[in-house]
Amino acid sequence: MTIKVGDRLPEGKLSEYIETATEGCSVGPNTFDVAEMAKGKKIAIFGVPGAFTPTCSAKHLPGYIEQANALKGKGVDEIWCISVNDPFVMGAWGRESKSGDVVRMMADGSATFTKSLGLDADFSKNGMGTRSRRYSMLVDDGVVKQLNVEEAGKFEVSDAQTMLKQLG
């Protein structure tokens, strides 16, 4: 069953490659509880089929990086990019795309969280196995307020501009 507006995010964990050690976060992959990360925050989340893939790298991620200040000006506390990749790949993609502190590059290496959202897709015909459908959602204190799921092969409703319009 696919998550829908009004649902609470499911239990889950995501990993993030941390470049600079801070209190509680060492350099390298760190695993975080989704419910704890979402508590009390408004988060723009977008899911992509894969790091370094053409549409994801040329349009989806850059759009959120470019619109980060506008999104934050509309009350968004954090922006997450979730992909079924390992945290090392997500960290490298974040460095190359210069996502910095603007977009958190969250890895769902085994697609566990993506499957619990009901947003997994079989990309085996492309040699990629289980991946994420392309989507965006606005989450407020763990509850889905907006959800935009793309049809296969499309990039029309999960972009940063659509999210900005939905924020009013």
Side-chain angles (χ1 to χ4, degrees), residues 44 46 56-72 78-81 90 92-105 155 158-161 164:
F46 64 104
C56 305
S57 290
K59 296 178 184 175
H60 213 167
L61 176 57
Y64 278 90
I65 293 170
E66 291 165 10
Q67 297 300 325
N69 287 336
L71 287 163
K72 291 185 178 191
E78 293 184 359
I79 303 167
W80 299 356
C81 174
M90 292 299 285
W93 191 32
R95 284 189 299 278
E96 182 166 299
S97 65
K98 298 177 179 40
S99 66
D101 294 333
V102 177
V103 176
R104 294 184 74 177
M105 305 300 284
F155 180 60
S158 63
D159 60 307
Q161 286 296 98
L164 273 171

Side-chain angles (χ1 to χ4, degrees), residues 64-142:
Y64 278 90
I65 293 170
E66 291 165 10
Q67 297 300 325
N69 287 336
L71 287 163
K72 291 185 178 191
K74 300 267 186 182
V76 170
D77 297 303
E78 293 184 359
I79 303 167
W80 299 356
C81 174
I82 301 176
S83 185
V84 180
N85 289 109
D86 66 66
F88 297 100
V89 169
M90 292 299 285
W93 191 32
R95 284 189 299 278
E96 182 166 299
S97 65
K98 298 177 179 40
S99 66
D101 294 333
V102 177
V103 176
R104 294 184 74 177
M105 305 300 284
M106 307 305 288
D108 183 21
S110 297
T112 306
F113 184 69
T114 299
K115 287 176 182 176
S116 70
L117 292 172
L119 293 170
D120 54 304
D122 184 358
F123 279 66
S124 295
K125 68 179 181 179
N126 300 322
M128 296 169 61
T130 300
R131 294 295 176 130
S132 175
R133 293 182 63 185
R134 186 179 305 283
Y135 68 89
S136 68
M137 67 171 76
L138 181 67
V139 175
D140 193 353
D141 196 24

